[in-house]
Amino acid sequence: MVEVERVRYSDTSEREKIRAMIKARKEKEQNAEVENATVQCPECGSRNLVQDYERAELVCSECGLVVDAEFVDEGPEWRAFDHDQRMKRSRVGAPMTYTIHDKGLSTMIDWRNRDSYGKSISSKNRAQLYRLRKWQRRIRVSNATERNLAFALSELDRMASALGLPRTVRETAAVVYRKAVDKNLIRGRSIEGVAAAALYAACRQCSVPRTLDEIGEVSRVSRKEIGRTYRFISRELSLKLMPTSPIDYVPRFCSGLNLKGEVQSKGVEILRQASEKELTSGRGPTGVAAAAIYIASILCGERRTQREVADVAGVTEVTIRNRYKELAEELDIEIIL
């Protein structure tokens, strides 16, 4: 009798589980239908929907149909007219970032001796606040791995600032370095060398190329060490990086030479023609890019000397001379010096 009751009990529990699963699946399908309906205009089928926050309406930009009305504004309830007001009224912290060893999720006691209302802290409590601030700094870095990360990421930020690299490159470099730490690739190598190699890899991933010589100038290790470490971590982390294109260097070199957009476009056009005829393969991308810019500056009437182009590109005048002669001969470009 007891066994029969147990079997019945188990059957009913399984039925309830199955019913719950079917109910959850139906709710999921209904939610998906609602989401698709709101994403697409029911009148013309367009997906170009604009949110009008003043009227709390969702409007189709193609036919003007009001798809949804009185929707909830998920933004802040306050308004700000400049950066200072936005920072004062915001009640949230900075976004998560990989460029800080704790990803920016830990708290920090401010150096100003003021409370949350902006009032000055009394001299009696300042000693206690000083001690709290000191211990807060100490406990943020708890073990050797975090200490390694803190030093390496600060070194990465220093080098990226010296090279004027954007935020995306810094985040990518920090992710590459963290992967190297997780795979224990740092052992037996200098932290500066691995950080410089991670930055070089991030520059190539984000199509913001910098040469090994440029990274070697701002780092504390040699160019040879950076190249060796880069090859090692790219092999171990399976980084699929394509060879650097000379076209990626053109905007930076033109900006350094104060050339107009017309010269830049002409240089890119010359490089595309050269790559179609396979003139760029087997040659340094900086030298080919410098030669294309030199030719484009002459053709557009904004002549720059080989010495000026060589200084900006970081190559010799002989390299520019050899490359521009090759390009001019193969592409049938007539240059009047």
Side-chain angles (χ1 to χ4, degrees):
M1 186 69 183
V2 175
E3 289 180 0
V4 173
E5 286 180 357
R6 282 179 182 170
V7 170
R8 284 177 181 172
Y9 181 75
S10 63
D11 288 343
T12 54
S13 63
E14 286 180 2
R15 284 176 188 169
E16 287 176 359
K17 284 181 182 178
I18 292 168
R19 284 173 185 167
M21 287 171 62
I22 292 169
K23 188 178 179 181
R25 193 179 298 166
K26 284 182 179 178
E27 287 179 356
K28 193 175 181 181
E29 288 175 357
Q30 287 175 357
N31 291 335
E33 287 177 2
V34 170
E35 285 179 5
N36 290 332
T38 54
V39 165
Q40 194 171 357
C41 175
E43 187 71 24
C44 63
S46 172
R47 292 182 178 273
N48 297 327
L49 305 180
V50 180
Q51 292 181 344
D52 187 352
Y53 289 105
E54 291 183 2
R55 296 183 177 84
E57 292 175 349
L58 188 67
V59 185
C60 175
S61 62
E62 299 291 333
C63 63
L65 179 75
V66 178
V67 179
D68 190 14
E70 297 182 1
F71 65 85
V72 178
D73 184 5
E74 296 178 355
E77 81 283 1
W78 43 264
R79 293 190 301 168
F81 300 99
D82 55 16
H83 180 70
D84 292 336
Q85 281 188 357
R86 194 175 295 109
M87 293 301 292
K88 282 180 182 177
R89 296 177 184 179
S90 177
R91 296 188 294 274
V92 295
M96 191 185 78
T97 174
Y98 287 101
T99 57
I100 304 174
H101 71 280
D102 54 10
K103 298 181 183 177
L105 300 176
S106 66
T107 56
M108 187 173 178
I109 301 174
D110 195 25
W111 59 270
R112 290 185 289 265
N113 292 318
R114 294 184 180 278
D115 60 9
S116 58
Y117 297 102
K119 296 178 182 177
S120 180
I121 292 172
S122 62
S123 57
K124 187 171 66 175
N125 296 328
R126 283 188 185 182
Q128 183 186 5
L129 188 65
Y130 172 77
R131 287 194 298 273
L132 285 170
R133 195 182 291 121
K134 181 173 67 176
W135 280 105
Q136 174 69 12
R137 279 199 307 270
R138 288 178 181 176
I139 63 174
R140 279 188 75 189
V141 182
S142 57
N143 53 29
T145 306
E146 286 195 3
R147 198 158 45 247
N148 179 332
L149 269 177
F151 177 73
L153 295 175
S154 65
E155 185 70 10
L156 266 175
D157 196 53
R158 183 190 66 78
M159 290 188 291
S161 298
L163 291 168
L165 295 172
R167 190 78 192 167
T168 52
V169 177
R170 301 181 192 205
E171 293 283 346
T172 308
V175 170
V176 171
Y177 187 86
R178 285 174 184 272
K179 286 180 181 177
V181 170
D182 292 339
K183 285 205 170 187
N184 202 19
L185 305 179
I186 313 297
R187 188 179 294 276
R189 289 172 180 80
S190 66
I191 295 173
E192 293 95 337
V194 180
L199 187 64
Y200 178 68
C203 287
R204 291 187 62 173
Q205 277 185 343
C206 299
S207 299
V208 186
R210 294 291 185 272
T211 61
L212 281 172
D213 292 319
E214 287 176 305
I215 291 179
E217 285 176 6
V218 296
S219 68
R220 297 190 177 100
V221 289
S222 65
R223 178 188 186 278
K224 188 177 179 182
E225 175 70 19
I226 296 169
R228 186 165 59 236
T229 310
Y230 163 72
R231 286 191 294 273
F232 172 72
I233 65 170
S234 63
R235 185 175 65 250
E236 293 295 323
L237 298 177
S238 302
L239 299 176
K240 302 288 189 272
L241 297 172
M242 295 296 291
T244 307
S245 173
I247 296 173
D248 294 335
Y249 289 97
V250 172
R252 184 158 61 95
F253 292 170
C254 285
S255 177
L257 291 165
N258 294 322
L259 293 169
K260 293 180 181 177
E262 183 188 353
V263 179
Q264 183 176 322
S265 302
K266 188 67 178 175
V268 171
E269 184 188 334
I270 291 168
L271 288 172
R272 285 195 178 132
Q273 291 174 5
S275 62
E276 285 173 5
K277 292 192 175 184
E278 297 183 355
L279 299 176
T280 58
S281 59
R283 293 167 177 79
T286 51
V288 178
I293 290 169
Y294 176 68
I295 294 170
S297 67
I298 294 171
L299 294 176
C300 296
E302 290 192 37
R303 185 189 296 271
R304 295 290 184 275
T305 63
Q306 292 178 7
R307 178 76 262 166
E308 289 174 330
V309 179
D311 288 340
V312 170
V315 294
T316 61
E317 294 177 57
V318 178
T319 304
I320 293 177
R321 212 154 27 240
N322 292 335
R323 295 292 168 266
Y324 106 78
K325 284 177 182 177
E326 288 174 6
L327 292 174
E329 186 179 339
E330 293 293 332
L331 299 176
D332 295 328
I333 298 172
E334 189 178 346
I335 300 172
I336 301 170
L337 295 173

